[in-house]
């Protein structure tokens, strides 16, 4: 039987990268999927290539009003949902001296505040026994220079996940967190880091698996956590990072 049959899922930031790959995996496993995104043409394109039982809604995760409208749409169209994958996120890379207040707010608004209120607004629409997955990053625990704001936003998300796993336990809603390492998506280019500026070989050398991850490899874990096969798993963080976070004391 298909693992996510009879489940309805909302994925934020589903038009690209990990969100898109997860939408494809959820659909292949029998779920009904609603993806969100901020750029109508990119979202339409994703819907067209995903095919199957997929729907979309334009909502900027950095705008609280948009998450309210998303919840209204979901209520009117589906009534209830079973899975919420809060995936939309942006990166920024600058040392502390160069971070502006506007840039700090932009990252926090999308990655943390927006994620928080997306959960708050969709929670009344979740079936008891449903589940939430928060897409964080290994940066939540690392001390990567130049990533102070991004890392803090993700650390906040992991804290939120832990709290919610206890707060929502009475409704049997499971909450889990996924921390990818470097995955081959356009996120860095969108943050203004050109692809040829990233030293892929150097990155790969630091990972026992010896390469960057693929979006589909993150999607498979998300699908597992979203399914009833993960019925005894809540409040947990999973690093999916090719072993990056396992540091040898002596190289
Ligand atoms: N790639 C990595 O190495 C890596 C590692 C660890 C964690 N992550 C996390 O993984 C998540 C997905 O990123 P990705 O790597 O798959 O990058 P991506 O390909 O850029 O996907 C991010 C998705 O989120 C959307 N999005 C961004 N800001 C949004 C907003 N304000 N409102 C609604 N949607 C928004 C993007 O839309 P647009 O197409 O319009 O930008 C896109 O659909 C992020 O939370 C990221 O922090 C990524």
């Amino acid at each position: 039987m298909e693992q996510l049959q009879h489940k309805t899922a909302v994925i934020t930031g589903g038009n690209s990268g990990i969100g898109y790959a997860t939408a494809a995996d959820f659909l292949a496993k029998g779920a009904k999927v609603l993806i969100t995104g901020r750029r109508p043409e990119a979202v339409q394109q994703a819907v067209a290539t995903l095919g199957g039982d997929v729907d979309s809604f334009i909502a900027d995760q950095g705008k609280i009003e948009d998450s309210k409208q998303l919840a209204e749409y979901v209520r009117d169209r589906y009534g209830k949902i079973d899975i919420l994958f809060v995936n939309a996120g942006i990166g920024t890379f600058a040392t502390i001296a160069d971070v502006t207040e506007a840039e700090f707010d932009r990252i926090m608004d999308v990655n943390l505040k927006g994620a928080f209120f997306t959960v708050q607004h969709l929670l009344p629409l979740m079936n008891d026994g449903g589940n939430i997955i928060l897409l964080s990053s290994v940066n939540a625990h690392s001390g990567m220079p130049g990533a102070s704001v991004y890392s803090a936003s993700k650390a906040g998300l992991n804290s939120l996940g832990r709290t919610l796993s206890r707060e929502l336990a009475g409704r049997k809603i499971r909450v889990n967190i996924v921390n990818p390492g470097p995955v081959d998506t356009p996120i860095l280019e969108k943050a203004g880091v050109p692809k040829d500026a990233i030293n892929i070989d150097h990155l790969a050398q630091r990972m026992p698996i010896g390469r960057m991850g693929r979006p589909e490899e993150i999607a498979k874990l998300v699908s597992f956590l979203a399914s009833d096969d993960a019925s005894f798993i809540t409040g947990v963080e999973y690093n999916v990072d090719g072993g990056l976070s396992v540091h040898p004391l002596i190289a």
Side-chain angles (χ1 to χ4, degrees):
M1 195 175 80
E2 289 170 314
Q3 228 178 352
L4 298 177
Q5 220 175 14
H6 309 304
K7 307 275 188 203
T8 303
V10 172
I11 300 177
T12 71
N15 63 271
S16 172
I18 295 165
Y20 179 88
T22 305
D25 206 56
F26 278 11
L27 287 165
K29 289 176 173 140
K32 236 186 238 173
V33 177
L34 169 73
I35 61 166
T36 76
R38 56 187 171 172
R39 291 183 297 130
E41 64 293 353
V43 173
Q44 290 319 319
Q45 172 71 33
V47 165
T49 51
L50 282 166
D53 208 348
V54 67
D55 185 16
S56 65
F57 189 82
I58 303 306
D60 183 332
Q61 189 167 281
K63 296 183 179 154
I64 306 304
E65 191 49 41
D66 282 17
S67 62
K68 279 189 198 157
Q69 285 172 11
L70 169 65
E72 280 166 24
Y73 179 79
V74 168
R75 190 192 53 228
D76 294 347
R77 179 107 158 92
Y78 303 99
K80 292 280 184 180
I81 61 168
D82 305 288
I83 301 161
L84 172 59
F85 179 34
V86 182
N87 161 77
I90 50 175
T92 185
F93 298 94
T95 51
I96 187 163
D98 294 325
V99 175
T100 62
E101 185 180 354
E103 189 61 0
F104 182 98
D105 287 345
R106 193 174 76 89
I107 298 296
M108 289 295 179
D109 280 352
V110 176
N111 291 5
L112 182 56
K113 185 176 172 187
F116 182 98
F117 286 101
T118 298
V119 174
Q120 188 194 64
H121 292 136
L122 288 172
L123 200 48
L125 306 176
M126 283 205 83
N127 280 318
D128 289 0
N131 71 86
I132 299 169
I133 298 132
L134 303 177
L135 207 282
S136 183
S137 168
V138 290
N139 279 82
H141 298 289
S142 72
M144 183 177 143
S148 55
V149 185
Y150 179 75
S151 301
S153 73
K154 294 299 190 180
L157 198 57
N158 293 33
S159 168
L160 175 64
R162 282 190 296 275
T163 305
L164 292 182
S165 70
R166 300 299 298 260
E167 218 170 283
L168 305 181
R171 290 182 54 197
K172 307 271 183 264
I173 293 175
R174 297 182 293 104
V175 185
N176 291 296
I177 302 137
V178 172
N179 299 331
V183 179
D184 191 11
T185 74
I187 194 169
L188 288 177
E189 287 159 77
K190 291 176 188 171
V193 183
K195 201 149 193 165
D196 54 17
I198 306 160
N199 190 336
I200 305 267
D201 291 340
H202 175 70
L203 259 179
Q205 273 166 20
R206 295 189 52 217
M207 291 189 272
I209 296 283
R211 61 170 173 80
M212 286 177 85
R214 294 186 284 269
E216 300 73 29
E217 293 173 308
I218 313 303
K220 293 220 185 307
L221 174 63
V222 177
S223 288
F224 166 70
L225 291 171
S227 76
D228 293 340
D229 288 347
S231 53
F232 199 49
I233 302 177
T234 192
V236 178
E237 289 181 29
Y238 287 89
N239 290 350
V240 197
D241 64 353
L244 179 68
S245 50
V246 183
H247 299 288
L249 283 178
I250 302 166

